């Protein structure tokens, strides 16, 4: 497994590494200055060298999506045996760090705002024929914290890589759903078909993930828990129970109830019965 890049490294004769940002299940992320344009960008490099060839495919897929609620893929670089994805640099934090920093759940008005942004970004991706497959709080970047100035879905650029790892884990390959780092993070938000028939998932699997995140934001609880116990509950797809506080506050109850209905609709076991991302955008009022 390769490590993160060092400050001062220059990639492709153009991207000057300025600082390390973070890591995901599949890649390390650094901030780099594009010497050609002078702009700061996010530069992503795969952890596993065997995945470098897949980076090009992922870049091509991600570049198809162009929307304010999706992190833009700017470039793909081959430097020797290594490959890199270049994305717009978002001056914020992922949803779990930005919104769960001081609270375990959010008020329904903020949840509705998050839902609207997520749905618009997802609809744009689906119109471009792209399925994310790995939607979870750490793949949503928030600018402005609780003011929610911007929200962008990230890592469409590693969708193909995540797909192969998630399929391998679901089918009992070298890694399992509870040992693969990518799968552990994705599992609480994975659709039943992503576990049961992972090679045959459709856009509806992303809608399930969106619904699971709405439930989590609203209640402070992952709908089916996490870890091994979550697998059977997800496959059964029985409607999870929301804590009483969600619908007992008269100020928030009407909107909270509506958001719960949306989450439950997204998490129907039959993918054909779930709303589309376009349906969700319309429901949020365009």
């Amino acid at each position: 497994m390769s490590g993160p890049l060092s400050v001062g490294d220059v990639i492709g004769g153009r991207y000057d590494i300025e600082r390390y940002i973070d890591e995901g299940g599949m890649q390390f992320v650094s901030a780099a200055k594009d010497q050609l344009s002078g702009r700061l960008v996010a530069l992503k490099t795969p952890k596993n060298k065997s995945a470098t060839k897949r980076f090009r495919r992922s870049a091509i897929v991600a570049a198809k999506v162009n929307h304010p609620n999706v992190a833009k893929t700017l470039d793909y670089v081959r430097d020797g045996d290594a490959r890199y994805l270049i994305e717009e640099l978002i001056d914020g934090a992922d949803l779990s760090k930005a919104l769960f920093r001081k609270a375990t759940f959010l008020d329904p008005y903020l949840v509705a705002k998050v839902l609207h942004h997520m749905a618009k970004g997802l609809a744009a991706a689906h119109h471009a024929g792209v399925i994310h497959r790995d939607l979870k709080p750490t793949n949503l970047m928030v600018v402005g914290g609780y003011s929610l100035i911007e929200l962008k879905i990230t890592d469409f650029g590693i969708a193909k890589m995540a797909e192969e790892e998630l399929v391998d884990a679901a089918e009992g390959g070298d890694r399992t759903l509870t040992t693969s780092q990518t799968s552990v993070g994705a599992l609480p938000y994975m659709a039943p078909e992503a576990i049961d028939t992972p090679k045959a998932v459709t856009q509806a699997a992303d809608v399930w993930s969106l619904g699971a995140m709405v439930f989590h934001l609203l209640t402070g609880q992952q709908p089916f828990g996490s870890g091994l116990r979550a697998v059977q509950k997800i496959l059964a797809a029985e409607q999870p129970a929301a804590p009483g506080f969600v619908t007992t506050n008269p100020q928030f109850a009407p909107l909270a109830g509506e958001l719960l209905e949306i989450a439950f609709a997204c998490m129907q076991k039959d993918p054909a019965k779930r709303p589309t991302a376009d349906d969700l955008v319309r429901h949020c009022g365009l």
Side-chain angles (χ1 to χ4, degrees):
M1 184 177 78
S2 60
L5 297 167
S6 301
V7 174
D9 287 348
V10 178
I11 304 302
R14 176 176 174 179
Y15 298 102
D16 190 356
I17 303 301
E18 292 203 345
R19 59 185 168 88
Y20 170 75
I21 297 178
D22 206 347
E23 65 178 281
M26 306 291 293
Q27 80 287 322
F28 295 105
V29 186
S30 301
K33 186 173 183 178
D34 181 353
Q35 296 178 352
L36 185 62
S37 67
R39 73 185 294 182
L40 286 175
V41 298
L43 187 146
K44 299 186 175 184
T45 181
K47 289 182 175 181
N48 190 333
K49 289 184 177 180
S50 67
T52 54
K53 292 182 179 179
R54 284 174 262 167
F55 245 34
R56 183 174 182 274
R57 273 189 300 158
S58 295
I60 292 170
V61 167
K64 295 178 180 178
V65 188
N66 187 11
H67 190 273
N69 291 119
V70 175
K72 182 63 179 171
T73 296
L74 302 171
D75 200 0
Y76 163 80
V77 176
R78 178 173 179 173
D79 193 337
D81 292 332
R83 276 77 165 170
Y84 305 92
L85 282 177
I86 314 299
E87 283 187 359
E88 67 171 303
L89 182 64
I90 302 166
D91 185 19
D94 73 57
L95 187 146
S96 61
K97 294 174 182 174
L99 302 185
F100 285 148
R101 186 178 70 254
K102 296 180 180 179
T104 55
F105 60 90
L106 307 179
D107 79 73
Y109 293 94
L110 183 53
V111 176
K113 195 172 181 180
V114 172
L115 167 62
H116 195 186
H117 284 288
M118 286 195 298
K120 288 190 291 184
L122 198 58
H126 289 176
H127 280 293
V130 178
I131 303 172
H132 193 292
R133 292 193 64 114
D134 191 26
L135 280 175
K136 55 194 176 188
T138 53
N139 283 340
L140 295 171
M141 292 296 293
V142 173
V143 178
Y146 294 105
S147 297
L148 199 67
I149 298 169
E150 284 186 306
L151 183 146
K152 292 178 182 279
I153 303 173
T154 66
D155 283 345
F156 277 102
I158 62 163
K160 284 291 181 184
M161 294 172 60
E163 174 184 355
E164 293 182 26
E165 181 169 329
L166 291 168
V167 168
D168 179 67
E171 293 184 343
D174 294 335
R175 292 161 291 195
T176 69
L177 285 170
T178 52
T179 60
S180 158
Q181 187 177 347
T182 297
S183 301
V184 166
L187 181 58
Y189 313 97
M190 286 175 70
E193 66 271 21
I195 297 172
D196 206 24
T197 55
K199 291 181 179 179
V201 301
T202 64
Q203 295 171 347
D206 284 345
V207 171
W208 170 288
S209 299
L210 188 152
M213 283 191 286
V214 167
F215 184 92
H216 187 183
L217 290 168
L218 192 63
T219 68
Q221 300 175 5
Q222 293 164 331
F224 302 99
S226 60
L228 195 58
R229 291 183 179 180
V231 174
Q232 290 304 317
K233 292 181 180 179
I234 292 170
L235 291 175
E238 294 180 4
Q239 184 171 299
F245 73 83
V246 176
T247 54
T248 53
N249 185 318
Q251 178 182 351
F252 297 127
L255 181 56
E258 190 173 351
L259 287 167
L260 280 175
E261 288 181 8
I262 291 172
F264 294 148
C266 291
M267 293 188 292
Q268 293 187 83
K269 186 167 186 177
D270 183 352
K273 293 183 178 179
R274 298 171 201 159
T276 65
D278 278 337
D279 291 334
L280 294 173
V281 173
R282 284 190 290 270
H283 196 92
C284 290
L286 303 178

mmCIF file of all heavy atoms in Angstrom, residues 47-68:
data_model
loop_
_atom_site.group_PDB
_atom_site.id
_atom_site.type_symbol
_atom_site.label_atom_id
_atom_site.label_comp_id
_atom_site.label_asym_id
_atom_site.label_seq_id
_atom_site.Cartn_x
_atom_site.Cartn_y
_atom_site.Cartn_z
ATOM 1 N N LYS A 47 -4.572 4.202 -2.475
ATOM 2 C CA LYS A 47 -3.762 3.539 -1.461
ATOM 3 C C LYS A 47 -3.111 2.273 -1.999
ATOM 4 O O LYS A 47 -1.978 1.945 -1.672
ATOM 5 C CB LYS A 47 -4.637 3.174 -0.246
ATOM 6 C CG LYS A 47 -5.088 4.355 0.581
ATOM 7 C CD LYS A 47 -5.904 3.858 1.766
ATOM 8 C CE LYS A 47 -6.275 4.991 2.690
ATOM 9 N NZ LYS A 47 -7.050 4.510 3.856
ATOM 10 N N ASN A 48 -3.870 1.567 -2.817
ATOM 11 C CA ASN A 48 -3.420 0.277 -3.318
ATOM 12 C C ASN A 48 -2.884 0.445 -4.737
ATOM 13 O O ASN A 48 -3.604 0.878 -5.634
ATOM 14 C CB ASN A 48 -4.594 -0.714 -3.299
ATOM 15 C CG ASN A 48 -4.150 -2.131 -3.584
ATOM 16 O OD1 ASN A 48 -3.142 -2.352 -4.260
ATOM 17 N ND2 ASN A 48 -4.907 -3.089 -3.077
ATOM 18 N N LYS A 49 -1.651 0.103 -4.965
ATOM 19 C CA LYS A 49 -1.050 0.283 -6.291
ATOM 20 C C LYS A 49 -1.777 -0.519 -7.361
ATOM 21 O O LYS A 49 -1.784 -0.152 -8.527
ATOM 22 C CB LYS A 49 0.429 -0.097 -6.260
ATOM 23 C CG LYS A 49 1.297 0.896 -5.499
ATOM 24 C CD LYS A 49 2.771 0.530 -5.576
ATOM 25 C CE LYS A 49 3.625 1.574 -4.866
ATOM 26 N NZ LYS A 49 5.064 1.227 -4.928
ATOM 27 N N SER A 50 -2.406 -1.626 -6.965
ATOM 28 C CA SER A 50 -3.128 -2.446 -7.953
ATOM 29 C C SER A 50 -4.353 -1.712 -8.480
ATOM 30 O O SER A 50 -4.938 -2.100 -9.486
ATOM 31 C CB SER A 50 -3.560 -3.781 -7.334
ATOM 32 O OG SER A 50 -4.537 -3.574 -6.326
ATOM 33 N N ALA A 51 -4.749 -0.630 -7.799
ATOM 34 C CA ALA A 51 -5.937 0.111 -8.208
ATOM 35 C C ALA A 51 -5.616 1.261 -9.153
ATOM 36 O O ALA A 51 -6.519 1.913 -9.657
ATOM 37 C CB ALA A 51 -6.651 0.665 -6.974
ATOM 38 N N THR A 52 -4.331 1.510 -9.407
ATOM 39 C CA THR A 52 -3.988 2.699 -10.189
ATOM 40 C C THR A 52 -4.571 2.666 -11.592
ATOM 41 O O THR A 52 -4.971 3.694 -12.120
ATOM 42 C CB THR A 52 -2.459 2.862 -10.277
ATOM 43 O OG1 THR A 52 -1.884 1.648 -10.792
ATOM 44 C CG2 THR A 52 -1.866 3.152 -8.919
ATOM 45 N N LYS A 53 -4.655 1.496 -12.218
ATOM 46 C CA LYS A 53 -5.202 1.423 -13.575
ATOM 47 C C LYS A 53 -6.684 1.768 -13.599
ATOM 48 O O LYS A 53 -7.203 2.244 -14.595
ATOM 49 C CB LYS A 53 -4.962 0.031 -14.157
ATOM 50 C CG LYS A 53 -3.491 -0.268 -14.421
ATOM 51 C CD LYS A 53 -3.308 -1.641 -15.044
ATOM 52 C CE LYS A 53 -1.836 -1.916 -15.316
ATOM 53 N NZ LYS A 53 -1.621 -3.266 -15.905
ATOM 54 N N ARG A 54 -7.360 1.525 -12.479
ATOM 55 C CA ARG A 54 -8.784 1.821 -12.412
ATOM 56 C C ARG A 54 -9.048 3.314 -12.240
ATOM 57 O O ARG A 54 -10.160 3.781 -12.439
ATOM 58 C CB ARG A 54 -9.422 1.047 -11.256
ATOM 59 C CG ARG A 54 -9.636 -0.429 -11.561
ATOM 60 C CD ARG A 54 -10.127 -1.164 -10.336
ATOM 61 N NE ARG A 54 -9.037 -1.842 -9.657
ATOM 62 C CZ ARG A 54 -9.126 -2.346 -8.428
ATOM 63 N NH1 ARG A 54 -10.246 -2.224 -7.762
ATOM 64 N NH2 ARG A 54 -8.117 -2.957 -7.876
ATOM 65 N N PHE A 55 -8.022 4.042 -11.835
ATOM 66 C CA PHE A 55 -8.201 5.475 -11.613
ATOM 67 C C PHE A 55 -8.596 6.191 -12.901
ATOM 68 O O PHE A 55 -9.359 7.139 -12.876
ATOM 69 C CB PHE A 55 -6.902 6.070 -11.046
ATOM 70 C CG PHE A 55 -7.069 6.609 -9.640
ATOM 71 C CD1 PHE A 55 -7.921 5.998 -8.745
ATOM 72 C CD2 PHE A 55 -6.359 7.718 -9.228
ATOM 73 C CE1 PHE A 55 -8.081 6.478 -7.458
ATOM 74 C CE2 PHE A 55 -6.503 8.219 -7.940
ATOM 75 C CZ PHE A 55 -7.370 7.595 -7.058
ATOM 76 N N ARG A 56 -8.044 5.774 -14.039
ATOM 77 C CA ARG A 56 -8.367 6.432 -15.301
ATOM 78 C C ARG A 56 -9.837 6.232 -15.642
ATOM 79 O O ARG A 56 -10.536 7.172 -16.031
ATOM 80 C CB ARG A 56 -7.488 5.895 -16.430
ATOM 81 C CG ARG A 56 -7.736 6.601 -17.762
ATOM 82 C CD ARG A 56 -6.744 6.141 -18.828
ATOM 83 N NE ARG A 56 -6.959 6.859 -20.076
ATOM 84 C CZ ARG A 56 -7.832 6.494 -21.013
ATOM 85 N NH1 ARG A 56 -8.591 5.407 -20.826
ATOM 86 N NH2 ARG A 56 -7.970 7.204 -22.115
ATOM 87 N N ARG A 57 -10.311 4.992 -15.480
ATOM 88 C CA ARG A 57 -11.728 4.728 -15.735
ATOM 89 C C ARG A 57 -12.605 5.578 -14.828
ATOM 90 O O ARG A 57 -13.627 6.124 -15.237
ATOM 91 C CB ARG A 57 -12.046 3.251 -15.490
ATOM 92 C CG ARG A 57 -11.809 2.351 -16.682
ATOM 93 C CD ARG A 57 -12.360 0.980 -16.402
ATOM 94 N NE ARG A 57 -11.746 0.357 -15.234
ATOM 95 C CZ ARG A 57 -12.303 -0.609 -14.529
ATOM 96 N NH1 ARG A 57 -13.516 -1.044 -14.834
ATOM 97 N NH2 ARG A 57 -11.685 -1.142 -13.507
ATOM 98 N N SER A 58 -12.196 5.675 -13.568
ATOM 99 C CA SER A 58 -12.971 6.442 -12.607
ATOM 100 C C SER A 58 -12.998 7.920 -12.972
ATOM 101 O O SER A 58 -14.015 8.593 -12.843
ATOM 102 C CB SER A 58 -12.380 6.262 -11.201
ATOM 103 O OG SER A 58 -12.499 4.920 -10.782
ATOM 104 N N ALA A 59 -11.863 8.443 -13.440
ATOM 105 C CA ALA A 59 -11.800 9.847 -13.828
ATOM 106 C C ALA A 59 -12.730 10.129 -14.993
ATOM 107 O O ALA A 59 -13.417 11.159 -15.024
ATOM 108 C CB ALA A 59 -10.367 10.223 -14.190
ATOM 109 N N ILE A 60 -12.763 9.232 -15.958
ATOM 110 C CA ILE A 60 -13.628 9.402 -17.130
ATOM 111 C C ILE A 60 -15.094 9.412 -16.707
ATOM 112 O O ILE A 60 -15.895 10.220 -17.172
ATOM 113 C CB ILE A 60 -13.357 8.294 -18.163
ATOM 114 C CG1 ILE A 60 -11.966 8.481 -18.768
ATOM 115 C CG2 ILE A 60 -14.414 8.298 -19.262
ATOM 116 C CD1 ILE A 60 -11.505 7.321 -19.627
ATOM 117 N N VAL A 61 -15.449 8.502 -15.794
ATOM 118 C CA VAL A 61 -16.828 8.430 -15.292
ATOM 119 C C VAL A 61 -17.194 9.714 -14.559
ATOM 120 O O VAL A 61 -18.233 10.327 -14.810
ATOM 121 C CB VAL A 61 -17.000 7.213 -14.362
ATOM 122 C CG1 VAL A 61 -18.320 7.310 -13.592
ATOM 123 C CG2 VAL A 61 -16.948 5.923 -15.158
ATOM 124 N N ALA A 62 -16.323 10.144 -13.662
ATOM 125 C CA ALA A 62 -16.622 11.304 -12.827
ATOM 126 C C ALA A 62 -16.724 12.583 -13.644
ATOM 127 O O ALA A 62 -17.518 13.470 -13.326
ATOM 128 C CB ALA A 62 -15.549 11.464 -11.757
ATOM 129 N N ALA A 63 -15.928 12.693 -14.698
ATOM 130 C CA ALA A 63 -15.910 13.908 -15.510
ATOM 131 C C ALA A 63 -17.232 14.138 -16.245
ATOM 132 O O ALA A 63 -17.494 15.238 -16.731
ATOM 133 C CB ALA A 63 -14.760 13.861 -16.499
ATOM 134 N N LYS A 64 -18.072 13.106 -16.311
ATOM 135 C CA LYS A 64 -19.370 13.256 -16.973
ATOM 136 C C LYS A 64 -20.346 14.097 -16.154
ATOM 137 O O LYS A 64 -21.336 14.593 -16.692
ATOM 138 C CB LYS A 64 -19.998 11.870 -17.203
ATOM 139 C CG LYS A 64 -19.238 10.974 -18.161
ATOM 140 C CD LYS A 64 -19.938 9.622 -18.268
ATOM 141 C CE LYS A 64 -19.212 8.680 -19.213
ATOM 142 N NZ LYS A 64 -19.887 7.350 -19.278
ATOM 143 N N VAL A 65 -20.082 14.226 -14.861
ATOM 144 C CA VAL A 65 -21.026 14.903 -13.972
ATOM 145 C C VAL A 65 -20.576 16.345 -13.740
ATOM 146 O O VAL A 65 -19.464 16.590 -13.274
ATOM 147 C CB VAL A 65 -21.135 14.171 -12.616
ATOM 148 C CG1 VAL A 65 -22.260 14.787 -11.779
ATOM 149 C CG2 VAL A 65 -21.371 12.683 -12.814
ATOM 150 N N ASN A 66 -21.437 17.274 -14.062
ATOM 151 C CA ASN A 66 -21.124 18.699 -13.884
ATOM 152 C C ASN A 66 -22.315 19.383 -13.228
ATOM 153 O O ASN A 66 -23.324 19.675 -13.884
ATOM 154 C CB ASN A 66 -20.815 19.334 -15.249
ATOM 155 C CG ASN A 66 -20.330 20.762 -15.114
ATOM 156 O OD1 ASN A 66 -20.035 21.225 -14.021
ATOM 157 N ND2 ASN A 66 -20.256 21.470 -16.226
ATOM 158 N N HIS A 67 -22.220 19.618 -11.928
ATOM 159 C CA HIS A 67 -23.341 20.204 -11.179
ATOM 160 C C HIS A 67 -22.793 20.866 -9.918
ATOM 161 O O HIS A 67 -21.812 20.381 -9.335
ATOM 162 C CB HIS A 67 -24.349 19.112 -10.800
ATOM 163 C CG HIS A 67 -25.629 19.648 -10.237
ATOM 164 N ND1 HIS A 67 -25.788 19.914 -8.898
ATOM 165 C CD2 HIS A 67 -26.811 19.989 -10.830
ATOM 166 C CE1 HIS A 67 -27.012 20.371 -8.690
ATOM 167 N NE2 HIS A 67 -27.643 20.433 -9.841
ATOM 168 N N PRO A 68 -23.404 21.958 -9.447
ATOM 169 C CA PRO A 68 -22.911 22.639 -8.247
ATOM 170 C C PRO A 68 -22.903 21.773 -6.995
ATOM 171 O O PRO A 68 -22.170 22.080 -6.041
ATOM 172 C CB PRO A 68 -23.892 23.812 -8.084
ATOM 173 C CG PRO A 68 -24.435 24.053 -9.442
ATOM 174 C CD PRO A 68 -24.501 22.711 -10.100
#
